[in-house]
Amino acid sequence: MLSANIGAGFIGGILSGLLAGIVVFYLKKIKVTKNLQSIMPILVIPLLSTLVVGGIMVWGIGKPIAGLMSVLTKWLSGLGTGNTIVLGLILGAMIGSDMGGPVNKVAFSFGSALVGTIDKATGLPSHTAMLIMAGIGVAICVPPLAMGLATLIAPKKFTPEEKDSGKAALVMGMVGITEGGDSICSIRPLRTIPLRVDTLNNKSVISRGCFE
């Protein structure tokens, strides 16, 4: 919530979560009397960690992260008013680059923001916004579906655990959850991530052509 309020977005949320974990880890190492031991996990650690992480986010790294998010959004917006094919390539690559991480979320948030902008004359999002979001939607579904289909087409190349993950990936891909393919992609990142980026930027552009 704090990251959203200061404009740091998903990246700020991830960093604040990591900071909280680090702060709590070191607070637990502080030796206290027996009288305080019972209230440390209930009151002291949560209160101190919230104050420390909140302070770092508000007065430290929050504004630079918010600035980065703003620059990325403005850059994507500038591309959106020019060449939607180039924008489709970039957004597709962003969706596939980090397996549902912050770069993926920036691309998705950008598309969602465009769709949320309603044309007063028609009461609908603009045609360009719909094209962009169509490409993002296709790019989101492709990785888990591809990973799941791969385990069915070439089962001998996957372990039993990966085959089970492939079944879940198919279901998650059908409902638009990119992270469904992460369990397999994370095992072979050097093979799968470049393939994801190349495939998704092309799929994003192809979908633009289908919906135009």
Side-chain angles (χ1 to χ4, degrees):
M1 186 180 292
L2 177 62
S3 296
N5 290 336
I6 63 177
F10 291 99
I11 297 176
I14 291 171
L15 288 177
S16 63
L18 291 172
L19 283 172
I22 294 169
V23 172
V24 169
F25 175 78
Y26 284 104
L27 285 175
K28 286 182 176 180
K29 291 192 172 185
I30 298 175
K31 294 182 178 180
V32 296
T33 62
K34 291 183 178 180
N35 294 330
L36 291 176
Q37 285 179 357
S38 60
I39 64 169
M40 283 294 287
I42 300 171
L43 178 64
V44 178
I45 291 177
L47 180 61
L48 289 179
S49 61
T50 300
L51 291 174
V52 172
V53 175
I56 293 173
M57 290 299 296
V58 173
W59 293 295
I61 63 175
K63 289 184 178 180
I65 295 172
L68 174 62
M69 296 288 287
S70 177
V71 169
L72 282 172
T73 303
K74 288 179 180 178
W75 177 58
L76 291 172
S77 298
L79 289 172
T81 58
N83 194 326
T84 55
I85 294 178
V86 174
L87 183 61
L89 289 169
I90 293 171
L91 289 173
M94 290 176 70
I95 291 292
S97 62
D98 62 346
M99 298 185 289
V103 177
N104 173 294
K105 295 301 185 284
V106 168
F108 179 77
S109 299
F110 171 74
S112 299
L114 286 181
V115 173
T117 304
I118 304 299
D119 187 343
K120 293 181 179 180
T122 62
L124 298 170
S126 68
H127 182 60
T128 301
M130 296 298 285
L131 286 177
I132 291 170
M133 196 60 200
I136 292 173
V138 170
I140 286 171
C141 295
V142 167
L145 290 175
M147 295 297 106
L149 287 172
T151 61
L152 297 178
I153 295 170
K156 293 182 179 180
K157 295 185 178 182
F158 297 91
T159 64
E161 291 79 11
E162 290 172 342
K163 292 176 187 177
D164 291 336
S165 298
K167 295 174 183 177
L170 285 171
V171 176
M172 296 174 76
M174 291 178 185
V175 295
I177 302 176
T178 309
E179 291 83 352
D182 290 359
S183 57
I184 299 175
C185 290
S186 60
I187 298 171
R188 303 177 177 87
L190 295 179
R191 293 182 183 180
T192 56
I193 291 178
L195 181 61
R196 283 168 60 127
V197 171
D198 181 60
T199 301
L200 295 189
N201 59 24
N202 284 287
K203 291 293 183 294
S204 181
V205 172
I206 292 170
S207 65
R208 169 203 174 274
C210 292
F211 288 98
E212 190 168 21

